[in-house]
Structures are given as C-alpha cells and as structure tokens.
C-alpha cells in the first residue's frame, strides 16, 4: 500500500504541503453549487486563477459535476498564456470509521470509474458500502488517494481516528485546516501541528484545504 501511495503523481505534490501552502498555493478541499457550496464552478475557477493556485481539487459531497467546467476554464486561461492550476479530480464521501460518521477526501482518481459510481449520486450510501474500508477500497480501485478530512472535527479523538484510518489503508489526512473558521483561512495552532506530527510518524500523506462553502475561496 505504501508503494502504491508513493507512486501516485499527486503524492509528490502532497509531500510539499506545509502550514503556509493554503489558500494561495494548494487547495485540496472546497465546494461548489454542485453540492452544498455557494460558488458556481466557473466562479470558483476564476478565483483560483486570481489567487495563483498551483494545484486544486474540488471536493463536492458525493458529486464531481463541477470538474468539467473548471477544467475548461483552466484550459482557456492556459490557451491565453495565463498560468492555471493543475486540477485534480476530487470528491468528499461520508463513511463510518470506528462507528463515527466521518468524511473522506478522494483525490486524483480516474474519470468515470465504476467503483465510485455508488458514491457519486449526490448523497451518502447506506449499508456495507458506508463502511470506511469499502470507501477506501473504491477510491483505490479508481486509482485515487483516500485522505481523512478535518480529523479534529469529529466526536472521537483524532489520534484514534488516524490510527484506525492507517490500519484500513488510508493514504493520509487533512493536516492543515482552519477549525476556527476565520474569514481568511489560517491553520489552527497546536491542533494542526499535533495532527501533522501524528501523520508524519505514520508516514502518511498530508493535505490542506479551505473547505470553502461560501463565496470566497480564501476561507470557508
């Protein structure tokens, strides 16, 4: 599993993530009107271009409808000679981990892969498919990476959830997150450092993202 994780092209990018990467360099967690966000895909793409982002993943809940329009916007910008972010396919999937409802970020997976079909219908699945191991298996089958979103937002301690995620083959977690939900994104001190340390000790990948649901890509 570690070898497959290291071989994924996005892994090399995630290894560059640090507390200052977001929101102006990397953003691997944000939402559009294709799920519960307020930004239309084209508007989010325009803001990503204005911010000068290098890498972006839009992670709508159980939906990937924004990807095509954002990709087209970036292609037009590149055709005009403007720098455009590398766009990675993304989704946020609900699942049960240690009996706790959590969110998993699927990143860098193949387009239209059948293993993810059940998870891209606009709502959480039920039954055995809701278990974290099933979600991770589906993401890996689609050649993607599975990362635990905002580990300190759940009812169980992040240490327990990260340990369980590691056992199940998760590739990493969202290390840098604004738990204080400030107007302009900033990683939460102490909590984020502790999560990053836990991930580093386990040799898991770290991501960052604004978790934007509002009208500005520089914050939530």
């Amino acid at each position: 599993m570690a070898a497959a994780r290291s071989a994924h092209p996005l892994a090399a990018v995630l290894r560059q993530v640090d507390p200052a990467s977001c929101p102006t360099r990397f953003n691997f967690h944000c939402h559009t009107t294709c799920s519960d966000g307020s930004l239309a895909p084209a508007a989010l793409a325009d803001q990503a271009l204005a911010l000068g982002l290098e890498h972006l993943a839009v992670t709508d809940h159980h939906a990937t409808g924004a990807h095509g329009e954002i990709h087209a916007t970036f292609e037009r910008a590149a055709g005009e000679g403007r720098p455009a972010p590398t766009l990675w396919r993304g989704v946020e999937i609900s699942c049960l981990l240690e009996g706790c409802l959590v969110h998993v970020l699927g990143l860098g997976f193949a387009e239209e892969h059948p293993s993810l079909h059940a998870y891209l219908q606009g709502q959480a699945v039920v039954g055995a498919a809701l278990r974290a191991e099933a979600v991770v298996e589906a993401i890996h089958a689609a050649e993607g990476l599975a990362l635990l979103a905002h580990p300190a937002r759940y009812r169980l301690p992040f240490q327990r959830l990260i340990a369980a995620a590691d056992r199940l083959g998760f590739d990493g977690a969202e290390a840098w997150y604004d738990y204080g939900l400030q107007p302009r994104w900033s990683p939460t001190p102490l909590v984020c450092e502790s999560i990053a340390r836990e991930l580093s000790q386990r040799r898991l990948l770290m991501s960052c993202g604004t978790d934007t649901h509002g009208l500005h890509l520089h914050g939530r």
Side-chain angles (χ1 to χ4, degrees), residues 70-139:
I70 293 172
H71 177 73
T73 302
F74 289 172
E75 288 285 290
R76 285 194 297 271
E80 296 166 0
R82 301 163 58 197
T86 298
L87 180 64
W88 300 89
R89 198 169 294 277
V91 66
E92 188 168 11
I93 299 173
S94 300
C95 71
L96 287 175
L97 178 64
E98 293 286 280
C100 179
L101 187 65
V102 303
H103 293 166
V104 180
L105 300 174
L107 301 176
F109 51 87
E111 181 179 6
E112 301 296 331
H113 197 281
S115 70
L116 287 175
H117 179 76
Y119 298 103
L120 302 178
Q121 304 305 308
Q123 58 187 3
V125 298
V126 295
L130 185 62
R131 298 175 64 175
E133 51 265 48
V135 173
V136 172
E137 182 179 352
I139 292 170

Side-chain angles (χ1 to χ4, degrees), residues 178-201:
D178 185 356
Y179 292 97
L181 308 181
Q182 301 172 85
R184 186 170 182 85
W185 187 95
S186 180
T188 302
L190 301 180
V191 175
C192 290
E193 284 91 338
S194 296
I195 291 170
R197 191 160 48 247
E198 182 84 12
L199 295 173
S200 178
Q201 290 171 352

Side-chain angles (χ1 to χ4, degrees), residues 1-173:
M1 184 59 65
R5 176 190 308 149
S6 297
H8 195 286
L10 180 55
V13 179
L14 293 178
R15 291 191 193 98
Q16 301 174 47
V17 169
D18 62 35
S21 296
C22 192
T24 57
R25 188 180 178 203
F26 301 150
N27 194 339
F28 299 107
H29 189 175
C30 55
H31 301 272
T32 73
T33 50
C34 290
S35 65
D36 58 346
S38 301
L39 282 170
L44 187 146
D46 287 341
Q47 289 195 26
L49 289 167
L51 282 168
L53 280 172
E54 298 174 27
H55 292 270
L56 172 70
V58 175
T59 53
D60 281 318
H61 295 275
H62 302 277
T64 57
H67 188 91
E69 189 171 357
I70 293 172
H71 177 73
T73 302
F74 289 172
E75 288 285 290
R76 285 194 297 271
E80 296 166 0
R82 301 163 58 197
T86 298
L87 180 64
W88 300 89
R89 198 169 294 277
V91 66
E92 188 168 11
I93 299 173
S94 300
C95 71
L96 287 175
L97 178 64
E98 293 286 280
C100 179
L101 187 65
V102 303
H103 293 166
V104 180
L105 300 174
L107 301 176
F109 51 87
E111 181 179 6
E112 301 296 331
H113 197 281
S115 70
L116 287 175
H117 179 76
Y119 298 103
L120 302 178
Q121 304 305 308
Q123 58 187 3
V125 298
V126 295
L130 185 62
R131 298 175 64 175
E133 51 265 48
V135 173
V136 172
E137 182 179 352
I139 292 170
H140 286 166
E143 301 175 12
L145 296 174
L147 290 90
L148 179 63
H150 39 61
R153 281 191 65 185
Y154 307 113
R155 63 176 178 81
L156 295 180
F158 70 79
Q159 296 91 339
R160 177 176 172 182
L161 292 173
I162 290 173
D166 189 12
R167 288 194 298 272
L168 292 179
F170 277 60
D171 300 292

